[in-house]
Amino acid sequence: MTGLSLALTGFVLMLVGIFLRMPIALAMAMTGFFGSWYVMGTPNAPMSQLKTLTYETFSTQSLSIVPLFLLMGQFATRTGMSAALFRAASDWLGHRKGGVAMASVGACAGFGAICGSSLATASTMGQVALPEMRKRGYSDTLSTGVLAAGGTLGILIPPSVILVIYAIMAEQNIVKMFMAALIPGVLAALGYILTVALYVRLKPDSATTAPRVPMQDRLRTLAATWPVIVIFGLTMGGIVGDWNWAKPGAQALFTPNEAAAFGAVATGLYGILAGRLSLAGFKEAILETAKATAMIFFILLGADLFKGFLALTRAPDLLATWVAGAGFAPIMVLLVMLLAYLLFGCVMDSLSMILLTVPIFLPVIEVLDFGMSPEETAIWFGILALIVVEVGLITPPVGLNLFIINGVARDVPIARTYAGVAPFILSDLLRVGLLVAFPAITLWLVGVVF
Amino acid sequence: MAQNPLERRIEGAARAMAYGGGLVLCAMAATTVVSIVGRMFTGMGLGPVPGDYELVANGCALAVFSFLPYCQLKRGHVTVDILTSRFPKRIEAFLGFLGDVLISVAAVVILRQLWFGFGEKFPYGSDTLRDRLGMGYKPFFPETTYELQIPVWILYGLALVAALLFVIVALYTVWRSFTWVLQGQEDHA
């Protein structure tokens, strides 16, 4: 068998396993393990690799940022920051038609700035914003749809766990990736707000208006969001710039790992000092972090084995050479890949998808000429992939955010949530088109800072 | 939730180990913050915590190892249920059972290979004893971390404890999902 067909066989078998409910991490690990065995004729190499691979994967310097960001997000969900953000946003926007839905988007964006996970953002904001929207007579369709969509801002707006993992796989600078995600993230929030505005114009009875809140109160509730502003400012502001103090230009205060550690400590301390983080809440935060961390690192371990097998087959190189030689238009190749992400996103979780596809897609993207430097191309592709993968979180049938919101609003039939999220998916797709057409939107801020 | 004593004990052990890992994680974060503060006042006789980078990296590894049992106990590993949720409940439960079996196999392989890895780092013991335990040749010098010179075998040893609990919990989940198959559908993990 040639390398390419071998890799393809492995890939297909892995997908069969995944669809038969095999844990994804395990499907990757087994494909990697047995594939390497097949190529080398003996299981000795992957076996002896495993003597140190597990420990070394788990102790990878750049990965220690992941549990720290997860812990920070867990603390943040338990310290009332989400409620403060929502209160402020709804005081400023709530009087407009559909304003509370817009405020939910704003609050999700704000929460995304201290939490790197979409699911945590969706569930936290769902608990805060859903009751309020219902109290004010917003339709179930709009209120569940906007929260499911708003949740994806958790991962688009830095910090973002998936972006960290993409950066590590693509060997890109994490800080640059975060910078690149910022403007697309803000665009996403604005797009969602615009979607709400159009939606309530087309369906006027899906939302209500309310009297304006006096400016004094608005300023007071805005001021109450200071912990979010301070923590985001310090963690994300602190990593911008160069880490080499001898060089001129912007100086970073921390490395990204240090920023994550600082963020976790600051969020936890704030919770304790403000009396919001009880011992029970703290323990719960630890257990949730434990579950998510172990899940992610187990997948990373599987992906390591899978990547080893792919490298043995040389399939990524072969594929890249073939695509480059076949003379496809680069933009068409990119669109096909994004379409594949969209389709798979309907059934798979975002992290696994990134881990499975980046080793195959990125080498292909890197040999194509998009008129950018290799680094810029990798950053741009990463942001596009992240957004498209996140669309999967809100597309039926397996959009996890939809289930999370459905779990918060148990009496709303899931079909209504599906209908509610559709306009936001449209807004996502338009944004992807915009970012594909104008890479500068993504790359401009990176260029300014570095 | 956990009814019989065995279940309660396993749940308790997995939880305790996850809390332990959580404390390691908090300690890592705190060390890093102390290190940042120390570095800011370098001119005034303070300094960064020595070896902060390797403390964080190895702390992370130990935390992750100690999180594995709890994650498995709670069925925290991602699966794609879109297709199988349309199958009859018993078949769905059976596929879940297969998943737990495979996780257990993986847990055993991880533990076994980690033990060999430990043997390669552990510089003590007579040749006969090492031979009997499958630890391989004694290393010529004990490998240590770069800055703090922590012997790596200590870290591997701690990871082994967690990997062992992972195997125990995984085997327990096999039994649990087997009872679910008999019962005809899955319970709450």
Side-chain angles (χ1 to χ4, degrees), chain B residues 130-143:
Chain B
R130 292 181 63 94
D131 197 44
R132 200 162 295 163
L133 292 172
M135 289 170 81
Y137 296 113
K138 202 190 291 192
F140 289 117
F141 58 92
E143 193 182 320

Side-chain angles (χ1 to χ4, degrees), chain B residues 5-99:
Chain B
L6 174 72
E7 284 176 21
R8 230 173 302 148
R9 211 163 288 167
I10 285 194
E11 167 120 23
R15 254 172 208 267
M17 185 151 267
Y19 287 141
L23 289 183
V24 170
L25 197 59
C26 292
M28 274 161 64
T31 310
T32 306
V33 172
V34 170
S35 198
I36 297 169
V37 173
R39 191 175 59 208
M40 278 162 57
F41 298 102
T42 306
M44 299 152 84
L46 292 173
V49 176
D52 52 348
Y53 273 50
E54 64 186 46
L55 279 178
V56 167
N58 289 299
C60 175
L62 295 179
V64 174
F65 268 108
S66 63
F67 292 158
L68 286 173
Y70 182 76
C71 183
Q72 171 60 15
L73 187 70
K74 294 290 156 193
R75 276 240 169 133
H77 295 296
V78 211
T79 53
V80 172
D81 299 342
I82 163 103
L83 191 65
T84 52
S85 60
R86 289 161 197 220
F87 291 177
K89 289 247 182 297
R90 193 183 294 267
I91 295 187
E92 193 188 6
F94 178 71
L95 289 168
F97 162 75
L98 278 188

